[in-house]
Amino acid sequence: MEILLLNGDALEVEEGATCLQAAQKISDGLARNAVAAKINGVLCDLSKKLAQGDKLEIVTLKDKEGLEVYRHTCAHVLAQAIKNIYPTCKLAIGPVIDNGFYYDIDFNTPITQDDFAKIESEMNKIIKAKTPIERFELPRAEALKLMKKYKESYKAELINDLPEDAVISFYKQGTFTDLCRGPHLPNTGKIKAFKLVSISGSYWRGNEKNKMLTRIYGVAFAKKDEMDAYFQMLEEAKKRDHIKLGKELKLFALLNEGKGFPFFLPNGMVLKNTLVDFWRDLHRREGYVEIQTPIILTRSLWENSGHWDHYKDNMYTTKIDGEDCAVKPMNCPGGMLVYKNSPHSYKDLPLRVAEMGLVHRHEKSGQLHGLFRVRCFTQDDAHIFMLPEQIKDEIIGVVKLTDRIYKQFGFKYKVELSTRPENSMGSEEDWNTATAALQAALDEMQIEYEINEGDGAFYGPKIDFHLQDSIGRTWQCGTIQLDFQMPQRFELEYVGEDGLKHRPIMIHRAIFGSIERFIGILIEHFAGKFPLWLAPVQVKILPITDRTLPYAEEIAEKLLDLGIRCEVDKRNEKIGYKIREAKMDKVPYVLVVGDKELEEHTVNVNKRGVEEKTTVALDEFISMALAQIAEKVIF
């Protein structure tokens, strides 16, 4: 029979041939590296049989799906090892996560990380055995009997949630069998590098009313050197921890009196306001107007927007004058009211409306983490109201602005296009139109992107930007969401060229995403060593003696008049100690002034990260610093 390969070539294979056999016919090397396959776009095991006309793609560890299959099999090897060591435990779920996997397990006797060595040893035995992994399927009733036999009550509960006529898939490796959709590696011997890393508690199905299970996390990589590099990155990340540096640099405080509500200190406010000023300047140039909407709005507004039905569990609610109200988790509905406050013509559009809006979202205490996961944050929102024919150009404009901002901080990024989720609002036609418009804009700009199926907002598809920081980690920040729904729900209108009323199309977008989170990312990206234009203290001036203190203060006055943030260290301490402290504070420039500098009207410049010190005329230093600030140089 004949099948088709990804490049369009036809391949003759035996009737009933498997994906692995087809891979062997293509090349021995491909077959050795194969971990899974795609038949007509659907990921499957290499043992899956092909049919006439199938389109085949062989998946290796160079593919994202290949690594996911690899890591999923690691989770099954972990489960098998644990069942071998602790036969009375019960298995729950074991999915793939970034860089690894975890498994939730109900132990009769609690375990700790001290037990990881013997679990890893058992896993290595299973891997060394190169045990074949085989898929089989059972009707629902027989699947339940099998799980009852193995006393796996959590698996039985999952099966009970499936339809009566469902065919349930399992995977067997030696004496171990697990309920799983798959696919998996052809045998355990293909696993080359893994490590168990941490343990935590986790409620069954994420419900606090259910039993607390033990979650064991592991990482897995295609090669050992990749895993070694990952752990080196983690060590570097510890040094860059924004919570630690935020405290040391006096940027923000996390206090018990406001859990999840960060306190910004003077240095942190300088950093935050500098970011906001940069944002405002760019948006003013791009034709945005700025608004501010209330923090608390009535329940009827949130019902109209759909948030009350789709997002209520994450909202803080209250009563005012007997009326149900909610603290805003998003700025969008307020923006709709601003648009409706005035009549609009097609000549007014596109209308670009920006808001630095403080929003509040209820996060569980266990999920809070520094500035990355908080209960209130400032979102750099904007809503663009436009004509249908303006969609592509406006999306392109937002992408260009986003690119301009990210490059300013030295970030590389990747782009994802997220499509319609299950709980979406609106017609299929609107969703198809919106998704096609986003794709057309990205294609026209020749931007590479991945499709993230089913992860759009409930009101529209979106483009997400994932930043890569200086040590290779990725962060989801910016988003562009195309919305046909909310203008309809709020009955937004404009008068068209034909004199009739029409409905505008809307873009929701944020670039920083959350100012607080973005600051956390910047702290770790720069390891607290902010570029000159961002640094809370840009210059520190150190007089060597009391005689040079007036000269130091004269310098400070001149710098401050020019908008350069500076401080004079007047303490009666040795100059070496002052320099070391300034370095610990990661100040970009430290100016040491002694008798010689006073006489010659110069400064001795200590540049952060540079061992060599230079003496230059004061005016020369000021010109250099002003140029670096104006150009927003990163060093």
Side-chain angles (χ1 to χ4, degrees):
M1 65 179 183
E2 190 174 84
I3 62 169
L4 294 175
L5 302 180
L6 188 62
N7 63 2
D9 289 348
L11 179 71
E12 288 282 343
V13 295
E14 296 293 327
E15 192 76 30
T18 64
C19 297
L20 180 58
Q21 288 168 336
Q24 288 168 336
K25 191 154 189 180
I26 297 169
S27 81
D28 290 339
L30 180 62
R32 279 195 304 273
N33 292 323
V35 295
K38 283 184 179 179
I39 299 178
N40 303 322
V42 178
L43 195 65
C44 63
D45 298 297
L46 286 169
S47 58
K48 179 86 171 176
K49 291 184 178 181
L50 293 156
Q52 170 67 32
D54 280 343
K55 187 173 183 180
L56 173 67
E57 179 183 352
I58 299 300
V59 176
T60 72
L61 291 180
K62 292 181 180 178
D63 302 305
K64 180 183 176 182
E65 296 99 328
L67 276 173
E68 288 173 352
V69 169
Y70 180 86
R71 287 165 176 157
H72 196 176
T73 301
C74 284
H76 277 229
V77 170
L78 168 62
Q80 182 180 2
I82 284 173
K83 288 296 283 188
N84 289 350
I85 300 169
Y86 309 97
T88 60
C89 75
K90 294 179 182 178
L91 303 176
I93 58 170
V96 173
I97 54 174
D98 286 347
N99 299 312
F101 57 93
Y102 70 77
Y103 219 113
D104 287 346
I105 300 159
D106 186 356
F107 288 97
N108 285 333
T109 304
I111 71 164
T112 68
Q113 284 192 218
D114 293 339
D115 297 298
F116 281 4
K118 64 183 175 185
I119 296 171
E120 288 177 341
S121 176
E122 186 66 22
M123 290 176 70
N124 280 319
K125 288 178 187 176
I126 295 165
I127 292 166
K128 191 174 181 180
K130 299 182 180 180
T131 309
I133 302 173
E134 301 168 350
R135 178 188 174 99
F136 66 94
E137 296 177 346
L138 294 174
R140 186 172 177 272
E142 290 185 35
L144 284 169
K145 285 181 184 177
L146 183 64
M147 290 298 96
K148 186 176 180 181
K149 172 187 170 184
Y150 289 135
K151 298 180 181 179
E152 295 289 2
S153 55
Y154 295 101
K155 303 291 185 181
E157 185 177 327
L158 294 173
I159 293 169
N160 272 320
D161 289 344
L162 298 173
E164 290 282 349
D165 59 351
V167 175
I168 317 297
S169 60
F170 293 87
Y171 280 82
K172 182 180 180 182
Q173 50 200 53
T175 59
F176 175 73
T177 298
D178 202 355
L179 170 73
C180 188
R181 184 187 303 134
H184 281 283
L185 299 176
N187 67 74
T188 60
K190 282 189 171 285
I191 297 172
K192 302 301 180 186
F194 78 93
K195 187 169 183 60
L196 303 183
V197 292
S198 63
I199 194 168
S200 70
S202 174
Y203 292 107
W204 169 234
R205 293 190 148 182
N207 188 331
E208 295 174 8
K209 295 178 181 179
N210 290 336
K211 186 170 183 179
M212 176 74 79
L213 306 177
T214 299
R215 177 171 292 180
I216 298 175
Y217 287 96
V219 296
F221 292 86
K223 299 176 182 177
K224 187 178 181 301
D225 59 351
E226 291 175 359
M227 189 167 75
D228 291 341
Y230 171 76
F231 283 113
Q232 287 171 9
M233 182 271 290
L234 289 184
E235 284 302 310
E236 180 63 26
K238 285 180 185 177
K239 300 174 190 173
R240 296 167 177 260
D241 178 36
H242 78 284
I243 299 175
K244 172 177 170 286
L245 289 173
K247 184 176 181 179
E248 291 174 359
L249 301 177
K250 299 180 178 63
L251 298 173
F252 62 91
L254 304 170
L255 306 178
N256 287 333
E257 291 84 352
K259 292 179 181 177
F261 302 97
F263 290 70
F264 272 84
L265 306 178
N267 281 350
M269 282 306 299
V270 172
L271 176 58
K272 189 174 184 179
N273 287 335
T274 303
L275 285 172
V276 171
D277 290 345
F278 169 62
W279 178 90
R280 282 202 170 106
D281 181 56
L282 285 180
H283 282 71
R284 188 166 49 248
R285 296 182 195 183
E286 293 296 320
Y288 285 79
V289 294
E290 189 173 358
I291 62 169
Q292 185 177 76
T293 60
I295 289 177
I296 299 177
L297 295 162
T298 62
R299 172 177 175 168
S300 59
L301 175 77
W302 301 111
E303 287 178 332
N304 191 21
S305 68
H307 289 91
W308 196 267
D309 293 330
H310 292 267
Y311 207 74
K312 184 175 181 294
D313 290 344
N314 291 87
M315 295 167 67
Y316 294 110
T317 58
T318 187
K319 278 187 180 288
I320 300 176
D321 298 332
E323 186 174 12
D324 287 335
C325 296
V327 181
K328 68 176 179 181
M330 298 175 185
N331 298 305
C332 323
M336 304 303 101
L337 296 184
V338 169
Y339 181 90
K340 288 190 73 172
N341 193 53
S342 304
H344 297 281
S345 157
Y346 71 96
K347 294 180 180 179
D348 302 329
L349 305 182
L351 180 60
R352 306 181 188 111
V353 183
E355 177 176 14
M356 275 286 177
L358 182 64
V359 299
H360 290 71
R361 298 179 185 177
H362 178 60
E363 302 286 356
K364 294 177 181 177
S365 58
Q367 296 174 324
L368 300 174
H369 179 59
L371 298 181
F372 291 159
R373 197 70 177 264
V374 293
R375 287 172 169 158
C376 75
F377 56 92
T378 308
Q379 204 166 36
D380 67 319
D381 254 330
H383 299 101
I384 302 174
F385 305 92
M386 60 202 165
L387 309 174
E389 59 268 27
Q390 294 170 334
I391 292 175
K392 188 172 71 172
D393 286 344
E394 288 305 305
I395 293 169
I396 289 173
V398 175
V399 171
K400 286 181 176 178
L401 179 59
T402 304
D403 178 75
R404 162 79 174 84
I405 289 175
Y406 291 164
K407 283 183 177 174
Q408 185 61 65
F409 302 98
F411 287 121
K412 297 176 182 177
Y413 60 86
K414 68 173 186 174
V415 176
E416 283 185 358
L417 175 61
S418 298
T419 59
R420 187 178 190 178
E422 290 182 5
N423 66 337
S424 62
M425 301 189 318
S427 69
E428 185 174 351
E429 182 183 358
D430 281 349
W431 274 86
N432 290 341
T433 302
T435 304
L438 294 177
Q439 284 182 297
L442 292 173
D443 290 341
E444 182 168 314
M445 297 182 74
Q446 297 183 326
I447 292 176
E448 292 185 10
Y449 60 92
E450 294 180 7
I451 301 290
N452 191 3
E453 295 287 354
D455 199 41
F458 66 84
Y459 47 75
K462 60 178 181 169
I463 295 170
D464 286 330
F465 295 83
H466 296 262
L467 307 187
Q468 184 181 65
D469 70 12
S470 58
I471 58 173
R473 297 170 301 178
T474 56
W475 311 86
Q476 197 277 309
C477 288
T479 186
I480 305 171
Q481 303 170 359
L482 188 55
D483 187 358
F484 284 69
Q485 312 308 321
M486 211 165 281
Q488 293 179 23
R489 293 177 78 97
F490 281 88
E491 298 180 339
L492 304 189
E493 295 177 340
Y494 67 89
V495 177
E497 195 171 2
D498 57 5
L500 301 176
K501 290 182 177 179
H502 300 271
R503 193 81 70 212
I505 310 298
M506 190 175 82
I507 288 173
H508 307 250
R509 48 114 291 199
I511 298 176
F512 292 143
S514 153
I515 291 283
E516 288 73 9
R517 186 167 182 266
F518 197 77
I519 286 172
I521 294 168
L522 287 180
I523 292 170
E524 299 201 359
H525 177 58
F526 291 119
K529 299 173 183 176
F530 298 111
L532 184 64
W533 71 278
L534 269 182
V537 178
Q538 295 170 317
V539 178
K540 188 160 278 193
I541 307 160
L542 310 183
I544 293 177
T545 65
D546 288 343
R547 288 193 307 277
T548 57
L549 178 57
Y551 179 47
E553 291 177 331
E554 178 190 329
I555 294 170
E557 185 177 352
K558 192 166 187 177
L559 295 181
L560 289 169
D561 285 344
L562 292 168
I564 298 174
R565 299 184 289 272
C566 66
E567 292 178 356
V568 178
D569 189 340
K570 302 177 183 179
R571 294 175 302 163
N572 188 23
E573 299 283 356
K574 291 182 179 178
I575 194 67
Y577 176 80
K578 289 183 179 183
I579 291 173
R580 284 193 300 274
E581 278 215 335
K583 287 182 177 179
M584 291 291 290
D585 291 338
K586 307 186 190 304
V587 178
Y589 285 107
V590 177
L591 305 183
V592 179
V593 291
D595 291 336
K596 183 179 179 183
E597 285 77 21
L598 171 62
E599 291 172 11
E600 299 177 356
H601 210 65
T602 59
V603 288
N604 184 263
V605 181
N606 293 249
K607 183 178 179 181
R608 185 183 61 207
V610 177
E611 288 298 320
E612 185 181 351
K613 302 172 182 62
T614 57
T615 298
V616 299
L618 175 59
D619 288 343
E620 183 182 339
F621 170 77
I622 289 173
S623 296
M624 176 194 66
L626 288 173
Q628 288 184 359
I629 292 167
E631 295 167 17
K632 295 182 172 57
V633 173
I634 295 175
F635 70 81

